[in-house]
Amino acid sequence: MTSNPGSEPTAGDLRIGTEEISEILRAFEASDWTGMHLRIGGVTVSVGKDAPPPEPRPTASAAAADTPSAPAAAAVTAPSAPQPAAPAASPAADEVVDETGLVAVTAPTVGTFWVAPAPGSPPFVEVGSRVAAGDQLAIVEVMKLMNPVITEIGGEVVAVRARNADLVEFGQTLFLIRPDD
């Protein structure tokens, strides 16, 4: 991958080779996912277990993925095994919220979004949680590397914009926080 020092990579800067594709396929095979469609730069990887790969789900960021500045886009079919339900206090990731005055906390990297430190553990935060600057809100996992999602401001979590185990994109809004006065 090439990029200008001090700047984030763009889709045109991303490069993926056979080694990276092999690692992605190994991770897919070890997962509970039934299918995956992943686009990085100009490379698309689509795979399915026991069936053809799924069509990509339309996402709120799908329009951004088609622009040259979007670093990556991904869609995953839900695993066939039952997944834990989202916390009751958490609204749907696509619920409409008036964002006036709210601060977005975004994904630090492309990867899998985890709301809790371990399976079966309570989530780091839920809608209505009070947070302080420096608090960890979630994890984004990429190739077994756990990247903490940290807030830079204190306030109240108003919305969670991704669901547990969703694939997220670099810069995608994960949380909306109403800052303390």
Side-chain angles (χ1 to χ4, degrees):
M1 173 169 42
T2 62
S3 65
N4 297 330
S7 70
E8 294 299 328
T10 63
D13 293 327
L14 295 175
R15 302 288 184 256
I16 186 168
T18 56
E19 186 174 315
E20 291 86 2
I21 292 171
S22 294
E23 182 65 29
I24 291 167
L25 292 175
R26 278 192 293 277
F28 170 74
E29 187 61 36
S31 76
D32 292 330
W33 298 342
T34 57
M36 176 179 74
H37 177 83
L38 174 69
R39 183 175 64 206
I40 301 174
V43 176
T44 301
V45 177
S46 295
V47 293
K49 292 180 182 173
D50 303 322
E55 289 298 314
R57 298 188 297 207
T59 63
S61 59
D66 292 333
T67 63
S69 62
V76 175
T77 300
S80 55
Q83 293 296 304
S90 180
D94 55 358
E95 180 179 313
V96 176
V97 172
D98 178 11
E99 296 184 21
T100 306
L102 302 181
V103 175
V105 177
T106 61
T109 186
V110 173
T112 305
F113 176 75
W114 299 110
V115 297
S121 297
F124 288 102
V125 296
E126 298 175 312
V127 170
S129 296
R130 304 287 310 164
V131 295
D135 283 356
Q136 183 170 354
L137 307 180
I139 296 170
V140 176
E141 175 188 2
V142 60
M143 299 177 78
K144 304 294 180 194
L145 178 63
M146 305 299 170
N147 299 283
V149 177
I150 306 291
T151 180
E152 294 180 3
I153 58 132
E156 177 187 2
V157 176
V158 176
V160 180
R161 290 288 183 225
R163 290 183 174 86
N164 194 48
D166 274 356
L167 281 183
V168 296
E169 301 174 24
F170 168 77
Q172 176 179 335
T173 299
L174 301 177
F175 298 92
L176 293 174
I177 297 178
R178 179 174 292 114
D180 290 331
D181 293 330

